[in-house]
Amino acid sequence: TGTVDQLMVTLFEPMQVSPMAWYADLLFLGTPGVDVALVKAGGAVAFTLVFAVIGTIVGTRVAEIHWFSDPALAGTEPEPVEEGGASPGIERRMEGILGARTAALVTLSWRRAVRAPLKLLYAFFPVFAIAGLLADIVQSGEFPAYLPFMVLIFAAWAAGVIFTLNPLGDQGSALPSTLLSRVDGQTFVRAHLLAGLAVAIPIGTVLTAIIAVLSPVETETALTLVIATPVVMTLSAAFSVGVGMTFPRFEAINVTRSMKTVLPSRWAFVLFSAYLFVTAAAAGLVYESAVRDLAAAFVSWALPFGLGVSANTLYLLAAALLVVAVILPVVSYRHAVRRFDGYTMA
């Protein structure tokens, strides 16, 4: 919001008189040319002693409560603990529509996401890239006309990475059991697509609709974006599942110093991102004539030997790329099914 400096000015005086500021007087005690308040320096020592005593008493009490809250008795079998995450009632309701195996795989994917939410952080990478843009929007109070298109691309990114960019690696130690079960490739792939799209499509469509209404785009354009959002998200997820099945990652990597999680492989990220970028660029060239003219001028300037390209040529090339972009998810989906059915562990 651009108010960090104002916030610091507001908090400066209360922080200056707090016990935490007394340590500055203690630190500079005896330093020539620095005015130090002996009372505050002594108060820092007293505050440390009081805080240490209170912290020890309270911390010990809290530790005792948590230590004995889940007792472990030697020689006894642990009672079965109901798995958290998606409610069993949701799974039972889905069984009548999707079947028992698909419903079980969908709810299992949701449970894993609840237990390890750090896996979903990479779905928000594009948001981190536009942090400066968001600050400008907050400060100006206006939404740029291109923002709904960016939201559509971000929604497609999220739909393609949350559950389908590493479906084999997300199985973890349960992968052998999954491969040896009666689950076939079509059920496995379809379940992961449903797990992601059931969450991503409502959120992405509503978000695109809100941004399109608030931004200065024409009503026809806004309606087209809203209708296209679930279609684009479905194609994105269908393409990513084939890439994720082809380049799985099973080993965990450090997310923080003390936490590890399994993330999609680098190749899966690169190929999926390239697919989205090329598809978005082709769509922009087909949809907007001004983009074609600008792109034609840039390409003609960059080509050597005085070569050039017209806007009409770019339009035809972009249209052909869009056709390929629509066909690739179908091919990727079928490849993912075959990949699961033929997958073997070394």
Side-chain angles (χ1 to χ4, degrees):
T1 59
T3 58
V4 175
D5 52 347
Q6 301 177 16
L7 178 63
M8 294 307 300
V9 170
T10 304
L11 295 178
F12 183 78
E13 291 185 0
M15 293 171 63
Q16 190 178 18
V17 299
S18 69
M20 295 302 297
W22 298 347
Y23 289 99
D25 294 273
L26 181 62
L27 176 65
F28 289 104
L29 188 65
T31 303
V34 178
D35 294 331
V36 176
L38 294 178
V39 176
K40 292 182 178 180
V45 177
F47 175 76
T48 301
L49 296 176
V50 173
F51 184 79
V53 173
I54 296 177
T56 302
I57 296 174
V58 175
T60 303
R61 179 56 182 163
V62 172
E64 289 176 350
I65 294 174
H66 286 282
W67 180 266
F68 294 108
S69 63
D70 188 15
L73 303 179
T76 61
E77 293 293 332
E79 297 182 357
V81 179
E82 183 176 339
E83 293 185 344
S87 170
I90 297 177
E91 182 175 346
R92 287 195 296 267
R93 286 192 291 269
M94 289 193 302
E95 286 180 0
I97 302 174
L98 305 176
R101 297 169 188 171
T102 303
L105 287 171
V106 171
T107 53
L108 182 60
S109 298
W110 291 345
R111 288 192 182 105
R112 288 195 179 106
V114 172
R115 294 170 183 172
L118 283 176
K119 289 184 177 182
L120 305 182
L121 280 180
Y122 52 83
F124 299 94
F125 282 173
V127 178
F128 300 149
I130 63 167
L133 173 62
L134 295 178
D136 293 338
I137 293 174
V138 172
Q139 295 177 22
S140 64
E142 297 180 354
F143 291 89
Y146 58 84
L147 187 59
F149 299 92
M150 296 184 65
V151 171
L152 175 58
I153 297 175
F154 295 162
W157 166 274
V161 299
I162 51 178
F163 293 119
T164 53
L165 203 55
N166 192 28
L168 289 176
D170 289 339
Q171 293 295 306
S173 59
L175 180 59
S177 301
T178 303
L179 294 174
L180 295 174
S181 67
R182 295 183 178 180
V183 175
D184 58 0
Q186 187 172 359
T187 301
F188 181 82
V189 173
R190 186 181 299 172
H192 282 78
L193 287 174
L194 290 174
L197 294 177
V199 177
I201 284 181
I203 297 176
T205 304
V206 171
L207 184 61
T208 303
I210 293 174
I211 299 300
V213 171
L214 296 178
S215 62
V217 297
E218 298 179 354
T219 304
E220 181 180 353
T221 301
L223 184 61
T224 302
L225 288 172
V226 174
I227 295 175
T229 298
V231 178
V232 173
M233 296 175 79
T234 302
L235 294 175
S236 172
F239 178 81
S240 70
V241 73
V243 175
M245 293 287 289
T246 305
F247 302 99
R249 171 182 276 172
F250 301 100
E251 67 277 5
I253 63 174
N254 286 324
V255 179
T256 65
R257 287 188 175 182
S258 59
M259 300 185 69
K260 290 185 175 182
T261 189
V262 179
L263 297 181
S265 67
R266 185 178 305 172
W267 275 111
F269 268 124
V270 170
L271 292 176
F272 176 67
S273 301
Y275 169 79
L276 278 186
F277 175 78
V278 172
T279 304
L285 292 173
V286 171
Y287 184 79
E288 185 60 50
S289 59
V291 176
R292 289 196 299 272
D293 295 336
L294 182 61
F298 175 78
V299 173
S300 299
W301 171 80
L303 289 176
F305 309 115
L307 299 176
V309 64
S310 65
N312 291 333
T313 302
L314 286 181
Y315 177 84
L316 295 176
L317 292 175
L321 281 176
L322 280 182
V323 173
V324 175
V326 173
I327 296 176
L328 277 179
V330 180
V331 177
S332 182
Y333 171 84
R334 295 176 65 87
H335 168 73
V337 172
R338 293 192 301 269
R339 172 75 168 169
F340 181 87
D341 289 333
Y343 192 82
T344 56
M345 298 186 65

